[in-house]
Amino acid sequence: MAIRKLLSGFRDFAFVLLATVTVLFFLLRLTGDPAIVLAGEGATADQIQAIRVENGFDKPLVTQFVSTIFRLAQGDFGKSLLDGTPAMEKVLAALPATLMLAAMAITLNLIVSLPLGAWLGQSQTSRSRKAVRAFLSVLQGFPGFVIALLLINLFAASLEWLPSIGFSGPATWILPVVSVVCFLAPKLTRVVEANTWAALNANFVRTARSIGASDNVILWRHVLPNSLLGAVALIGAEIAFMLTGLVVIETIFAWPGIGWLLVQSTLNLDFPVVQAVVIVMVISVFLSNALTEAVQVILDPRIRVGARADK
């Protein structure tokens, strides 16, 4: 059964990947003629046509599409139209920067959201907790790029405490990471809060109290681990988002990850690189979802038992 489920997952992944590549291929051809961009200003019609012929853009669109699919099936992602570098090589060179930003943001998000959510879930009437909830509600309403621009305006432009762009050291990492965490933390905090509140009113907590367990033991050894079960799916979704949705943040801070590469390649009509970036993003989302599902099964055996019962 496990092998059958795995094969089904790969089949779905292959379908999604093929659909994505197909839509992307035709959308990119609507954005413009890369031969004109490559030829530069002042190029003659003959020079532009020569570039089209060299890159196969003179062929019918269907022929170009079939050729692209055939090359991708062989693991050939093409070469950058700008410098001739293999497209996937450029993507893999930029991927560590994105993974670094994602790892730092995930870590800080967990450090902030888990204890804060556990603290908020212990009471629904405390004034201080109500104030924090109100702040989180306001923060949750801001898009990530707005938070990034506000942080740049305050800490880089006004106070001049931190650099606003670059990738040269810890000082340049602070604003991008905080921008991402400010966007993600309210959601995870509220989920952990709701799960903590529900767990504190569950029967197993009443049992623990009846045998003399302290509040700290109940919270950290019983309530919080149970609260995490409901938060794993959201954490997995946030990881998938950070591997694919950091395009704006990377562009704002000139962070040299795959999001920044995607924007630059799109502006330059560098079709092979754009295609390679999107393929890597689709693969990343698939792996993230698969890992999230595996972690949920490990943390909560009831999922595995329920799956067997359905069979």
Side-chain angles (χ1 to χ4, degrees), residues 58 70 79 82 89 101 106-107 123 126 146 158 160 165 172 186 188 193 198 228 252 269 299 303:
D58 61 317
F70 182 74
K79 295 182 179 181
L82 297 180
E89 182 179 311
L101 177 58
I106 292 168
T107 302
S123 173
S126 168
V146 173
S158 299
E160 298 183 354
I165 61 174
T172 62
L188 182 57
E193 175 196 354
L228 289 178
I252 290 174
L269 301 183
L299 292 178
I303 297 176

Side-chain angles (χ1 to χ4, degrees), residues 218-232:
I218 291 174
L219 177 64
W220 297 106
R221 294 186 60 181
H222 301 286
V223 172
L224 191 56
N226 280 275
S227 300
L228 289 178
L229 293 177
V232 168

Side-chain angles (χ1 to χ4, degrees), residues 54-69:
E54 180 183 354
N55 292 279
F57 297 137
D58 61 317
K59 298 177 181 178
L61 203 57
V62 174
T63 302
Q64 293 182 46
F65 174 70
V66 172
S67 177
T68 297
I69 296 299

Side-chain angles (χ1 to χ4, degrees), residues 109 140 199 203 207 214 225 273:
N109 188 25
Q140 189 170 350
N203 291 331
T207 302
S214 67
V273 176

Side-chain angles (χ1 to χ4, degrees), residues 117-141:
W119 176 72
L120 289 173
Q122 294 177 64
S123 173
Q124 298 293 314
T125 58
S126 168
R127 290 184 178 180
S128 59
R129 289 178 171 85
K130 287 182 178 179
V132 172
R133 291 189 189 99
F135 173 74
L136 291 176
S137 297
V138 172
L139 191 61
Q140 189 170 350

